[in-house]
Amino acid sequence: MNYQYPTGYFAESVPSHPTDCRYALKITTPAVNQPYTLFVLMMNPSVAEQTASDKTIDTLIKNYGTKYRQIVVVNTTPVIESKSVNLKNRVNEIRRNMLPNTKAVTRMVRESGYFHFLIATGNVIKGVNEQPYIDLMNHIDSITRGDALFTIRLTSNGYGGHPLYKKAFELQNLTKVKRKDANWHLVAVN
């Protein structure tokens, strides 16, 4: 099911021409005077695009659209796949697109100025997107200037929880996190 973007919200896919990969979905909000951009790291892109949202993007807009000037959704892998369980069948594509994805995301983070980074991957999959996740987080860590890392809720495996099916309280009260180990498991910061 596709959702329409609310009035005043404009989306741009990166790249802008249709492909089987998406490096980012940039959503400009009506809150253009807010100082921060919200980057949201998820596992893989789904069906949302420039002209139509989806349930996950709709959840992000409803909960964060008035707090940030822009919401930029990036992914551990740019391979468009609605069902993350199918990613294991696309490992070669994921590996082939790992470096271009990391470069594109790193460039966008550098260009954004002030930002918050919401890690919302759910549990990463060993042998599928674990290494892309680690590499991408290492790059993000190397270019941040003390900008905060957040999650909605930590998974039992120490990854950032996916925003769907979370309580409004959890969505509105993000947990500040930091790196726990070399594999970028996360731990809450008090």
Side-chain angles (χ1 to χ4, degrees):
M1 178 175 183
N2 286 339
Y3 296 77
Q4 296 301 311
Y5 288 102
T7 302
Y9 289 81
F10 302 95
E12 171 191 0
S13 293
V14 178
S16 59
H17 56 308
T19 70
D20 59 348
C21 288
R22 185 182 77 214
Y23 299 124
L25 184 64
K26 296 180 174 182
I27 303 158
T28 302
T29 75
V32 293
N33 293 325
Q34 292 291 351
Y36 290 94
T37 293
L38 177 65
F39 278 86
V40 183
L41 177 63
M42 304 198 69
M43 187 179 297
N44 55 285
S46 186
V47 296
E49 57 175 10
Q50 289 180 180
T51 57
S53 182
D54 63 20
K55 194 171 186 173
T56 300
I57 301 301
D58 193 54
T59 298
L60 295 172
I61 288 171
K62 284 180 181 176
N63 286 281
Y64 309 117
T66 60
K67 298 176 182 177
Y68 294 94
R69 61 186 155 115
Q70 191 174 50
I71 299 169
V72 181
V73 180
V74 296
N75 300 277
T76 62
T77 172
V79 175
I80 297 171
E81 177 58 66
S82 293
K83 297 181 181 182
S84 58
V85 297
N86 293 336
L87 289 173
K88 65 182 179 285
N89 300 324
R90 302 182 73 184
V91 172
N92 288 335
E93 285 177 83
I94 291 169
R95 288 183 182 143
R96 185 173 58 249
N97 288 289
M98 194 167 89
L99 184 58
N101 185 57
T102 298
K103 286 181 177 181
V105 172
T106 300
R107 181 181 40 78
M108 287 182 273
V109 169
R110 280 191 174 132
E111 292 172 353
S112 72
Y114 296 104
F115 63 91
H116 289 156
F117 203 87
L118 176 61
I119 304 167
T121 56
N123 288 322
V124 299
I125 306 166
K126 190 171 185 73
V128 177
N129 72 324
E130 181 183 45
Q131 196 58 52
Y133 167 74
I134 293 167
D135 290 351
L136 188 55
M137 288 306 299
N138 283 336
H139 274 80
I140 299 305
D141 188 50
S142 73
I143 63 172
T144 59
R145 301 175 301 257
D147 299 287
L149 298 176
F150 295 94
T151 189
I152 296 163
R153 175 177 69 194
L154 288 170
T155 69
S156 60
N157 294 328
Y159 295 107
H162 191 281
L164 282 185
Y165 315 115
K166 298 295 186 286
K167 296 177 183 170
F169 176 81
E170 292 174 307
L171 291 162
Q172 293 296 318
N173 295 284
L174 298 177
T175 302
K176 191 170 183 177
V177 293
K178 66 179 183 178
R179 176 184 186 164
K180 180 180 178 182
D181 58 30
N183 290 332
W184 274 96
H185 292 98
L186 304 168
V187 63
V189 176
N190 294 331

